């Protein structure tokens, strides 16, 4: 069995240790309205106005566990900013788009998005334990008519498996959504076993924020199920050091002990982690719990999300402060997700000169290396 954790003293209703350790209890008791939120925090007038303004437009819910991480007195708490609706979601920004990354353009079945030659994503559900306010796929959480992807809770996956069988060049499948772990273990195993039965599918990845938003979901039983279908990888989504708790560390440890590597994809978010000290602490704390920093995403210009965007220069400033100041595998790759793919956007540490390369290090020191091996030559004409 997985570890048990007692509810914090401030938890409304004084749940038992058994209840607090049960992810299903948290899902049943999610905060979904203003009265529920008031049991956890002192709601600001701006939050109250935003909750009313987004009603009927964007879903929201917060697990009791994630609510317990909120600072009840501070509306600018990084947990509250990620989980509670804000006025910025209703503002219009230049060039904002509901789908700037091109999911709809590359969709091949209702679930499969095939953007890269050898890998696809499968959007297997629209459900999440917490509807993150900065979600790239915010159209999944809309409450208005005409959602772009049907809710997949009830259907089978034969159409998707058929597409994969017909395209043997696909060797890597990422399950995402929504959050795949919203499904019970039995449903997930049906999907994963179906993928594993396709010979050309070599790697199965899961994108899930449950280790952050509801780590009680990462049970021994779930991890044992995954271990039957290796290689399985899991990427999660810590955005702030406050999210790294004994519960989340224990969830990561369970995954690792069952052979599931864990990577992290942080989003650069204004007012949450867009300063050097916060980002450096986040990366070092991730390494402490044995999570590999993978990507630092520049926040996408998504309708309802754009108020979280920083400048690219801010991202450069942070990346420059990480490079050389912590171990190399603790430095994520800074990328901008576009319709043509994920594009690395970190500033280069070299410049082509006449006879070689001009180099600089993290301290700003420079040197030039020359010679035949360092020269950059033009490719022959096609």
């Amino acid at each position: 069995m997985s570890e048990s954790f007692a509810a914090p003293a401030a938890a409304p209703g004084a749940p038992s240790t058994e209840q607090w350790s049960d992810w299903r209890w948290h899902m049943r008791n999610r905060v979904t309205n203003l009265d529920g939120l008031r049991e956890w925090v002192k709601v600001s007038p701006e939050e109250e106005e935003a909750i009313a303004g987004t009603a009927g437009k964007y879903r929201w819910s917060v697990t009791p566990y994630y609510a317990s991480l909120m600072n009840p007195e501070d509306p600018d708490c990084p947990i509250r900013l990620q989980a509670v609706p804000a006025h910025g979601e209703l503002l219009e920004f230049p060039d904002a788009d509901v789908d700037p990354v091109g999911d709809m353009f590359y969709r091949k079945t209702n679930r499969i998005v095939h953007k890269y030659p050898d890998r696809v994503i499968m959007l297997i559900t629209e459900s999440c334990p917490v509807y993150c306010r900065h979600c790239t796929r915010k159209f999944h959480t809309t409450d208005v008519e005409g959602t772009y992807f049907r809710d997949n809770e009830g259907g089978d996956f034969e159409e998707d498996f058929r597409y994969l069988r017909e395209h043997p060049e696909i060797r890597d499948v990422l399950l995402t959504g929504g959050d795949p772990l919203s499904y019970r273990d039995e449903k997930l195993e049906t999907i994963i076993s179906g993928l594993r039965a396709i010979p050309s599918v070599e790697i199965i990845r899961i994108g899930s924020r449950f280790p952050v938003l509801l780590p009680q979901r990462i049970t021994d039983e779930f991890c044992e199920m995954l271990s039957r279908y290796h290689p399985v990888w899991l990427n999660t989504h810590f955005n702030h050091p406050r999210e790294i708790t004994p519960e989340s560390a224990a969830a990561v440890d369970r995954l690792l002990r069952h052979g599931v590597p864990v990577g992290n994809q942080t989003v650069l978010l204004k007012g949450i982690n867009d300063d050097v000290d916060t980002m450096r602490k986040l990366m070092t704390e991730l390494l402490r719990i044995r999570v590999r920093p993978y990507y630092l995403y520049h926040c996408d210009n998504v309708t309802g999300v754009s108020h979280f965007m920083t400048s690219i220069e801010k991202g450069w400033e942070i990346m420059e402060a990480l490079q050389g100041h912590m171990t190399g595998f603790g430095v994520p790759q800074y990328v901008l997700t576009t319709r043509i793919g994920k594009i690395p956007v970190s500033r280069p540490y070299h410049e082509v000169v006449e006879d070689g390369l001009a180099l600089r290090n993290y301290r700003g020191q420079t040197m030039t290396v020359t010679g035949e091996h360092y020269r950059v030559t033009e490719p022959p004409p096609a």
Side-chain angles (χ1 to χ4, degrees):
M1 295 294 292
S2 302
E3 292 97 325
S4 296
F5 292 92
S16 67
T17 296
E18 182 179 6
Q19 289 173 320
W20 192 257
S21 300
D22 182 359
W23 71 276
R24 296 174 182 83
W25 179 90
H26 286 266
M27 293 293 284
R28 291 193 300 268
N29 289 277
R30 285 178 291 175
V31 176
T32 58
N33 55 51
L34 190 57
D35 289 340
L37 184 62
R38 285 197 177 106
E39 295 185 9
W40 290 96
V41 302
K42 182 179 179 180
V43 179
S44 71
E46 292 77 16
E47 287 172 320
E48 184 171 351
E49 181 181 337
I51 289 170
T54 57
K57 184 172 179 64
Y58 298 123
R59 300 176 199 163
W60 74 285
S61 70
V62 187
T63 60
Y65 166 80
Y66 201 60
S68 75
L69 305 184
M70 295 178 178
N71 183 327
E73 302 296 330
D74 182 11
D76 293 325
C77 161
I79 307 301
R80 287 169 70 164
L81 291 176
Q82 292 184 71
V84 178
H87 178 66
E89 297 177 40
L90 302 173
L91 299 179
E92 294 185 6
F93 287 79
D95 302 318
D97 193 341
V98 295
D99 182 30
V101 302
D103 282 348
M104 291 177 281
F105 181 79
Y106 292 100
R107 185 173 61 170
K108 303 302 180 183
T109 71
N110 184 50
R111 301 180 179 92
I112 287 182
V113 178
H114 191 175
K115 182 185 292 188
Y116 297 97
D118 70 335
R119 55 200 184 276
V120 301
I121 62 174
M122 285 180 62
L123 301 164
I124 66 173
T125 180
E126 294 178 346
S127 297
C128 288
V130 176
Y131 291 103
C132 301
R133 312 322 298 171
H134 55 272
C135 184
T136 292
R137 298 191 179 98
K138 203 170 180 77
F139 57 80
H140 278 262
T141 71
T142 183
D143 274 339
V144 298
E145 293 296 323
T147 54
Y148 294 97
F149 288 88
R150 299 189 305 271
D151 194 329
N152 302 309
E153 300 291 337
D156 64 40
F157 289 76
E158 184 51 42
E159 178 188 17
D160 313 296
F161 294 154
R162 184 183 310 114
Y163 181 86
L164 295 173
R165 289 192 294 267
E166 291 172 353
H167 292 81
E169 73 275 15
I170 298 170
R171 52 180 292 277
D172 181 340
V173 177
L174 169 62
L175 302 180
T176 182
D179 199 305
L181 272 60
S182 299
Y183 284 130
R184 65 189 189 279
D185 288 359
E186 295 79 8
K187 178 74 171 183
L188 270 175
E189 185 165 17
T190 298
I191 300 167
I192 293 171
S193 64
L195 292 174
R196 188 49 73 217
I198 301 171
S200 53
V201 175
E202 299 173 9
I203 297 172
I204 298 171
R205 291 182 290 152
I206 300 172
S208 174
R209 218 179 171 209
F210 265 91
V212 180
L213 306 174
L214 184 51
Q216 291 89 335
R217 172 66 182 92
I218 312 300
T219 63
D220 285 325
E221 293 79 10
F222 167 72
C223 295
E224 288 166 6
M225 182 273 287
L226 292 184
S227 71
R228 294 195 286 270
Y229 300 100
H230 280 317
V232 177
W233 299 63
L234 189 141
N235 281 326
T236 190
H237 189 111
F238 288 92
N239 284 328
H240 194 274
R242 190 177 295 181
E243 296 172 331
I244 300 176
T245 65
E247 290 94 334
S248 63
V252 168
D253 183 65
R254 284 192 287 275
L255 288 163
L256 295 174
R257 283 190 283 108
H258 287 84
V260 180
V262 182
N264 190 69
Q265 303 180 162
T266 295
V267 182
L268 181 59
L269 299 169
K270 182 183 292 185
I272 293 174
N273 58 19
D274 61 332
D275 65 274
V276 169
D277 289 343
T278 298
M279 194 65 74
R280 189 179 289 163
K281 183 176 181 182
L282 173 61
M283 298 306 156
T284 55
E285 288 294 293
L286 286 172
L287 294 182
R288 182 180 59 80
I289 65 170
R290 296 179 293 158
V291 173
R292 171 73 184 270
Y294 177 32
Y295 284 137
L296 174 62
Y297 282 114
H298 190 78
C299 184
D300 296 323
N301 194 10
V302 177
T303 302
V305 174
S306 304
H307 58 292
F308 284 116
M309 291 183 67
T310 70
S311 65
I312 290 286
E313 286 78 10
K314 174 55 71 173
W316 286 346
E317 173 192 332
I318 290 171
M319 289 301 298
E320 293 279 320
L322 296 180
Q323 185 71 41
H325 292 277
M326 61 186 305
T327 189
F329 61 79
V331 180
Q333 186 177 31
Y334 184 34
V335 296
L336 179 61
T337 307
T338 72
R339 185 165 164 172
I340 61 172
K342 295 182 182 69
I343 309 299
V345 290
S346 291
R347 283 194 295 202
Y349 284 79
H350 70 277
E351 181 182 356
V352 177
V353 295
E354 183 176 358
D355 293 321
L357 295 175
L359 306 175
R360 67 179 177 89
N361 70 0
Y362 68 99
R363 292 176 173 170
Q365 298 169 316
T366 61
M367 66 174 291
T368 300
V369 292
T370 60
E372 189 68 27
H373 295 295
Y374 299 110
R375 291 178 58 196
V376 179
T377 58
E378 293 294 326

